[in-house]
Structures are given as structure tokens and as C-alpha cells.
Amino acid sequence: WRLLNALGIKPEVCHLNEGHAAFAILERARTLMELTDQPFATALSITRAGNVFTTHTAVAAGFDCFAPRLMERYLDNYAHNHLRLSTHELLALGRRDPNDDTEPFNMAYLALRGSGAVNGVSRLHGEVSRNIFLPLFPRWPVDAVPISHITNGVHMPSWDCAEADALWTSCCGKDRWLGELESLAGCLRCIPDSDVWQYRAAARESFVTFARERLGAQLAVAGATAEEIERARRIFRPDVLTLGFARRFAAYKRPNLLLHDTERLIHLLTNLQRPVQLVIAGKAHPADLAGQAFIQEWNRFIQRPEVRGQVIFLSDYDMQLTERMVQGVDVWINTPQRPWEACGTSGMKVLVNGGLNLSELDGWWAEAYNPKVGWALGDGRGNRGGEAVNSTEASQLFDLLEGQVIPEFYSRDDGGIPRAWVGRVRESMASLTPVYSANRSVREYVEKSYLPAAEAYKSRADSGGLQGQQISDWRRKLDQHWPTLRFGEVSIENRESQSEFTVEVALGALTPHAVCVELYADRLDSAEAIRIQMTRLVPSQDPHGMTVYTACVPATRAPSDYTARIVPFYAGVNVPLEAAHILWQR
């Protein structure tokens, strides 16, 4: 943020990609304090409207957390002399319990408390994130936790091979990624089967050539014999079904799922009529001993004489290797433990190249999958974990490969074309590539996040930050007086087609304009939860200082389904993100 200021760049929107970047929130507020001489609370009320926070973490343990002493050591001076806050006030921004001096400072909490909009990176990850951040919104329903989702996309021109580019250009034009994408699906579906199959054969052959050269060089560096190096340069065949598995080796990604039944895997790889070749790549974190053990387990399997030449491990996993793999493999396998894969963009990169996905119903695949475009692993019911689930899903993976994937690839017509396979490839390219491209994701960020954030920030910053100051004052009054709110009598009058609720509320020092009184009913089956704003009776008919609210609800739900509640209200403020108070009728 300081660099942008030094360059004279004054953005209206600051997009925080994960909690790592959250200190920018403090510096942005400090910059405004310096310009306007506003206190920190007011400056944050103004600037947070222009901050967008995207969380990528699927487990709470993945957030950056710092010990209080470490924070005090490095930020004590910054808090006192620049933000005009006590160290305790600064640390409260990153704690679940602001008054617990022993609680570590959570960067994701700071990011959330300093932003005007928060999103996960897939639909399922949005649900996971709402549960992770639920502790910051006590007594709120999990569905009301203010975290939406914008599913990731990948920059397709960075990942397509020359053969794929030629195929797409022939039907969609060279500038296909520079404008609207709605017409691309129709163009792709017009490509003849023979052209699709010819392209995929060329892409696979190119990758086999690359894999031979890469493995040969890898063995040479390792001190292999000339005979071993020469043998490596003859591995694989360009006409054989090629599976790819490449990613960071971590336990939750279950990279050894195929090794649950090694004899079955050997039979699959060495079938003379329908052979399969498997390429594996990846790295483990230096401190992740379990991840390193997975790699060692694969390398031991690869040394078995019966599979030599049918499965390889390519080391030094990097962007170039990823690029060549997603361009050439026929099937991309992904086996994370649901729901720990926030999005999983690697599978998106094969789409533009005509590769197919066989993946756990997690991350982006949970929303992208349909039986016409690939294969699904798991039952989509959530994270159950355990060795029993791993064994079950390993068996399911083999069933899919043996019963569907391999037979479909090798079932050819008189012209040597696997029509069903080609149809699946074409539909995957046509229907999924535009949707999971960066074009779509960037447009969603612009329309759903950036433009609203820019408008909200300008509104709060106008007139010397008057609105931001008013919002800050409103929040301070909520904090001070919320404990004094209480419900009085609640009455229900049932009629033929509706029920009328009348609720008494003691607002104390808060004005009716500072809150909203609602009737709430939990979601039922697939229907959304019901929120009905109650109408304040003016003047109040209650002689004891109670404010009276009323609302009618249809008789489609029982009156007992509804509960009255009080929530904060201020026009243009994201509740509960910016004010998490709530009071339920007991």
C-alpha cells in the first residue's frame, strides 16, 4: 500500500488474496487517518468498504496466526504512534475473543473485519468458509455468515498447446478469449469427431515425446546407466490411454489412493488389449514427512519389473511440467478428501486441451460435473474421512477406470474413432472451458465485488468522510447499548390464510432507525430461510416505553416456526459483516 502511494496510485478497491495480505487494511486506514485526521475506527469504516477479501483456505488450521508477544514486539510502535490504538485494540481485530490476551492473532480474522465483502473460491468452499468463520458471528445462522463465492478460473491461453490453439482457432477464431464467450460452446460442438480425435492423438504424441526426454534427463542427473537412459527414451506409446496425476503431495490430497490395491493397478496398467500409462508428478513440503512418504511409496511401486515403462514419476514439478501434462494427458485424476480442496484449478487447465476429469466431487468439480463431461468420485456428502472411506473410494476409482474410462477410450468404430469418448471430450471443451476461464471469474469479480466496493468506498469517503464517521458512531452506540435491548410480550393472531405477529421491544438508548426487527424461520428442505421485516407502529401504543412491531406471515408455515429477532441496521452497511450483534426472542 505504501508503494502504491509512493507511485501516486490511489485505488478505490483493494483485493486481498488470502489473509497473508491483511496488514494492507491497517496501512490503508492509517493513510486516510493521515489525510483527514480521523480516528482509526472512522478511517476503517470508510476504507473497509473498498476492501475485498478472498479466502482460499478450507481448514481453519491453514490461517496465519501469530503469538501475541510477536505481534507486540513488531507492531507496538505502529499501533501507538501511527494507528493511535493500544496494542490490545489492534490485537482484538485478529481475535475471536477480543478480551482474551492469550489468543493468537489470526490474519484471516483481520482480513474479514477490515473488508466490505468476503468470498470463497468455489460454491462448496463458500459453504465451508461460512462454517469456518461462524465463531465470529455468534448466534447467527450459518447461512447468514456473510461469505459468498466466486469460483476460480484459469487463463486458458496460458495453458493450451499449439494443437489445441489450432483447433479452437479453426472454429472460434484467434480472438476468441477477448470478448463474449457465450458463442464458443456452439462453435465447438460443430467440430467433426475425426478432427477432435486427430487433435487429441497429436497432443498425446507430443506429450509422450516430452515425457521420454524429461525422464531421460532426470535419470542422467541421477547417475543412471546409459542403458537405463536409453530405455527411458522409449517408454510409453502415443496410442495408449494416458492418465495424469500431478500436485502437491499432502495427506488430504490422497495421492496414494491408486496404491490401495497394487495388484489391481498392475492389472490395469499391463492389460495387453487395453493398456494404460500413468504419469505422476509433484512435490512435498520439506517439513511434510507424510507427503514425502507418499512419493517414496510411488517410487517403490514404479521400480516393480511388471509395471516398468507403464508408470513414471517426473521430478522437479514446476510450471513447465504442469503445462505439458495438462496439454497431453487424456484423463486428469484428482483425489482430495472432500471438502478440503478449496477449488482445485489444475483440472480446469486440461479443459481447453480436451483432457477429461476424473475427480472427487470437491472444489470446482462439485459444481461442474455432469455425466456427459467426465467422471465423479465420492458421494458428495461431505468430509467423513478415515481409512474405510479411503478404501471405498479407492475401489470406486478402480471401478470407474475399469468399467467406464478404459472401455470408452478403446471402443472404436470402423474408422478407428472412439465416438463416445470423442463426444465426451467435445462436450467438456464446449461447456466447461468458457465457464471455468479467467474471463468469467474476472467478470464476476468486477460485477459482484469491485464495482460495488468502489461505489461504497466513494460514498463513505465523500464530504470528508461524513458517512464513514456516522457509521463509526452508529457502531459505537451498538456496542455500548446492545446489552440493554430486550423483548417484551409477543402475541400471535391466527387467521384463515395468515398469522399476525405483534412484538414489544425495549430499545433503550438506541433509536428505532438503528435496528431492524424481523421474523425469522429456518430453511425447510431446499427452501431458503425466511426473513420478514416487521413494521413499527407509530406512535407506539405501549405505555411502558416499549416499541411495538407487527408483521403478517402466510399460513404455509406453522406460526411456531417463526422467531422474532433484532439485528443492526444502517443503509449501505453489510450486516452482519460490519455489525454482528443479534438478539433473539427467547
Side-chain angles (χ1 to χ4, degrees):
W1 195 260
R2 289 176 179 172
L3 175 62
L4 293 175
N5 281 329
L7 294 172
I9 299 172
K10 302 185 184 303
E12 295 164 342
V13 178
C14 176
H15 189 170
L16 306 169
N17 190 40
E18 195 57 288
H20 315 310
F23 285 138
I25 288 169
L26 304 178
E27 184 62 11
R28 183 177 191 181
R30 187 206 63 79
T31 304
L32 189 67
M33 292 171 65
E34 188 177 79
L35 292 173
T36 63
D37 199 32
Q38 298 277 15
F40 176 80
T42 298
L44 184 62
S45 290
I46 296 170
T47 55
R48 74 177 298 172
N51 295 333
V52 175
F53 169 38
T54 296
T55 174
H56 295 256
T57 305
V59 289
F63 294 137
D64 289 334
C65 292
F66 300 123
R69 284 192 177 183
L70 192 68
M71 292 290 295
E72 292 167 2
R73 177 179 178 182
Y74 288 101
L75 290 177
D76 184 71
N77 176 67
Y78 182 71
H80 283 86
N81 297 325
H82 296 275
L83 301 178
R84 302 199 292 272
L85 295 175
S86 68
T87 307
H88 174 81
E89 289 172 320
L90 175 58
L91 293 180
L93 293 170
R95 285 172 166 160
R96 174 182 175 181
D97 180 357
N99 297 313
D100 183 356
D101 291 335
T102 65
E103 183 180 338
F105 185 91
N106 188 314
M107 293 290 284
Y109 289 0
L110 171 62
L112 183 140
R113 288 183 172 132
S115 297
V118 185
N119 70 274
V121 292
S122 70
R123 183 176 61 206
L124 179 57
H125 182 238
E127 297 174 12
V128 170
S129 298
R130 286 190 285 277
N131 280 282
I132 291 176
F133 286 98
L134 182 60
L136 297 187
F137 302 91
R139 296 177 296 281
W140 281 86
V142 65
D143 290 346
V145 173
I147 300 177
S148 61
H149 79 275
I150 294 177
T151 303
N152 283 338
V154 298
H155 185 246
M156 295 300 175
S158 292
W159 298 103
D160 63 350
C161 60
E163 296 88 350
D165 179 63
L167 186 75
W168 281 87
T169 300
S170 68
C171 63
C172 302
K174 192 67 178 176
D175 297 333
R176 57 193 173 275
W177 303 113
L178 302 182
E180 300 287 342
L181 306 184
E182 285 75 8
S183 63
L184 296 187
C187 296
L188 257 295
R189 291 188 178 107
C190 295
I191 301 178
D193 287 359
S194 57
D195 289 357
V196 175
W197 183 238
Q198 184 178 2
Y199 149 65
R200 280 302 308 155
R204 189 185 317 105
E205 184 172 8
S206 177
F207 174 66
V208 167
T209 301
F210 166 81
R212 290 169 173 172
E213 294 173 353
R214 177 99 177 200
L215 183 60
Q218 178 178 311
L219 291 173
V221 170
T225 65
E227 182 183 356
E228 289 172 324
I229 294 171
E230 182 58 32
R231 189 187 310 125
R233 289 175 174 155
R234 295 194 303 270
I235 61 152
F236 282 10
R237 287 166 40 191
D239 61 339
V240 170
L241 174 64
T242 304
L243 312 179
F245 183 98
R247 56 197 26 88
R248 179 169 56 87
F249 272 56
Y252 83 89
K253 291 181 180 289
R254 299 187 300 182
N256 63 338
L257 204 61
L258 279 169
L259 294 175
H260 267 249
D261 190 337
T262 54
E263 295 308 313
R264 198 171 177 184
L265 179 58
I266 291 170
H267 177 75
L268 181 150
L269 292 169
T270 57
N271 186 304
L272 295 178
Q273 285 72 42
R274 294 175 171 178
V276 174
Q277 51 203 22
L278 172 63
V279 184
I280 300 171
K283 291 180 178 178
H285 190 279
D288 186 357
L289 299 181
Q292 296 167 29
F294 292 142
I295 295 176
Q296 294 164 1
E297 187 179 1
W298 269 112
N299 279 319
R300 285 194 296 271
F301 177 78
I302 289 169
Q303 298 307 315
R304 296 180 64 154
E306 57 266 50
V307 297
R308 189 169 295 164
Q310 292 301 115
V311 54
I312 60 174
F313 189 103
L314 297 180
S315 61
D316 296 327
Y317 182 50
D318 57 14
M319 293 283 279
Q320 182 192 25
L321 178 53
T322 302
E323 179 183 20
R324 297 306 298 266
M325 287 188 68
V326 299
Q327 291 172 353
V329 300
D330 294 298
V331 179
W332 191 257
I333 296 177
N334 190 26
T335 56
Q337 183 177 332
R338 176 186 164 116
W340 289 0
E341 187 81 280
C343 184
T345 56
S346 64
M348 298 178 184
K349 295 165 188 170
V350 305
L351 299 174
V352 69
N353 296 294
L356 298 173
N357 281 273
L358 193 174
S359 178
E360 183 79 21
L361 285 169
D362 198 7
W364 77 283
W365 194 238
E367 59 195 79
Y369 167 72
N370 75 68
K372 296 180 180 179
V373 297
W375 299 273
L377 188 63
D379 57 16
R381 293 181 183 176
N383 176 20
R384 292 170 293 138
E387 194 56 32
V389 172
N390 292 343
S391 179
T392 297
E393 294 196 351
S395 179
Q396 183 188 7
L397 177 57
F398 279 110
D399 289 345
L400 287 169
L401 289 169
E402 295 167 347
Q404 297 183 37
V405 178
I406 297 171
E408 192 170 288
F409 181 86
Y410 285 107
S411 296
R412 313 289 170 85
D413 64 6
D414 294 339
I417 298 175
R419 298 289 177 179
W421 183 273
V422 168
R424 192 185 297 270
V425 167
R426 183 170 46 230
E427 184 59 27
S428 172
M429 295 178 75
S431 63
L432 299 186
T433 309
V435 175
Y436 295 97
S437 70
N439 301 56
R440 187 271 312 154
S441 60
V442 170
R443 172 172 288 184
E444 280 197 50
Y445 273 110
V446 170
E447 295 176 348
K448 295 181 178 180
S449 296
Y450 299 161
L451 293 179
E455 184 178 349
Y457 168 70
K458 287 190 290 184
S459 176
R460 295 190 187 187
D462 283 348
S463 303
L466 177 61
Q467 186 185 87
Q469 184 176 354
Q470 292 170 340
I471 292 172
S472 180
D473 292 341
W474 166 76
R475 287 193 60 187
R476 187 177 64 254
K477 291 177 181 177
L478 288 177
D479 293 341
Q480 182 179 356
H481 298 294
W482 196 267
T484 67
L485 270 60
R486 63 183 177 85
F487 280 97
E489 294 294 325
V490 177
S491 62
I492 306 172
E493 184 178 344
N494 295 315
R495 298 175 184 149
E496 185 174 339
S497 59
Q498 61 182 12
S499 299
E500 182 178 8
F501 284 73
T502 302
V503 177
E504 296 177 343
V505 177
L507 297 178
L510 293 177
T511 69
H513 302 290
V515 300
C516 179
V517 181
E518 302 175 332
L519 289 178
Y520 177 87
D522 279 321
R523 61 186 307 166
L524 195 62
D525 298 327
S526 60
E528 295 295 319
I530 299 174
R531 292 179 58 179
I532 298 175
Q533 184 173 340
M534 304 190 76
T535 302
R536 177 168 55 97
L537 296 181
V538 181
S540 172
Q541 302 299 313
D542 186 88
H544 305 293
M546 290 284 191
T547 303
V548 182
Y549 291 80
T550 184
C552 291
V553 299
T556 52
R557 300 263 313 250
S560 58
D561 286 354
Y562 293 90
T563 305
R565 68 183 191 179
I566 308 172
V567 297
F569 175 79
Y570 196 104
V573 171
N574 186 338
V575 174
L577 182 61
E578 298 186 65
H581 299 287
I582 190 169
L583 179 66
W584 295 88
Q585 165 212 342
R586 293 184 182 275

